[in-house]
Amino acid sequence: MIAETPKPPYYAVIFTSTRTEVVENYKEMNEAIEEAVKDADGFLGVEACREEVGISVSYWKDLESIRKWKNNPLHSLAKEKGKSAWFATFKTRIAKVEMDYDFL
Amino acid sequence: MIAETPKPPYYAVIFTSTRTEVVENYKEMNEAIEEAVKDADGFLGVEACREEVGISVSYWKDLESIRKWKNNPLHSLAKEKGKSAWFATFKTRIAKVEMDYDFL
């Protein structure tokens, strides 16, 4: 669903990836991460889908919240496994949301 | 595929939507827009997927490029039809990409 974010400014972490054929533990880790991030300081919401490419956009109060989540042990483990097993290519972009519109 | 964007800063337009059941002309318009945007001034690339929610992240050189594309006649028509027929809900966020990483 579309994340209900507050009035800008806030931050977006745009994570784009393509998968390998390795499926072991991927779904389980995804679910664990989805649960854990809900309790992260400054987490505002997330939107995600996957076809040829997967996109996950998570929204955050500020850069400090993103830094703290970056160092979360479960998230660190997920990134390590992601690099070594699950993702063929990926890119992370950190962006400051300046404006948003329900209609543009 | 993952867009090959230049070194930050640049801009991202994050468009998130859920669909109605109306399919008439949707695919055709999507393809026409995908072709047209490639020629837009300042367009840097796009990533998109759709499951329960659809996410399209387009990347732009600056806010001026985004403003110009906003006023493109084909894009305006697509937005009008999107609001009235194809999308149940949607949100557009304009964000300045400050950092990016191939590995984080």
Side-chain angles (χ1 to χ4, degrees), chain A residues 12-16 55-57 91-93 95, chain B residues 12 14 47 57 59:
Chain A
V13 178
I14 307 163
F15 177 75
T16 315
I55 305 175
S56 158
V57 189
K91 195 168 188 90
T92 305
R93 296 176 174 97
Chain B
I14 307 163
E47 295 155 349
V57 190
Y59 299 101

Side-chain angles (χ1 to χ4, degrees), chain B residues 10-11 13 37 41-44 58-62 65-66 69:
Chain B
Y10 52 90
Y11 274 83
V13 177
V37 76
D41 284 352
F43 175 71
L44 302 175
S58 58
Y59 299 101
W60 299 87
K61 187 182 165 201
D62 51 27
S65 314
I66 296 169
W69 173 245

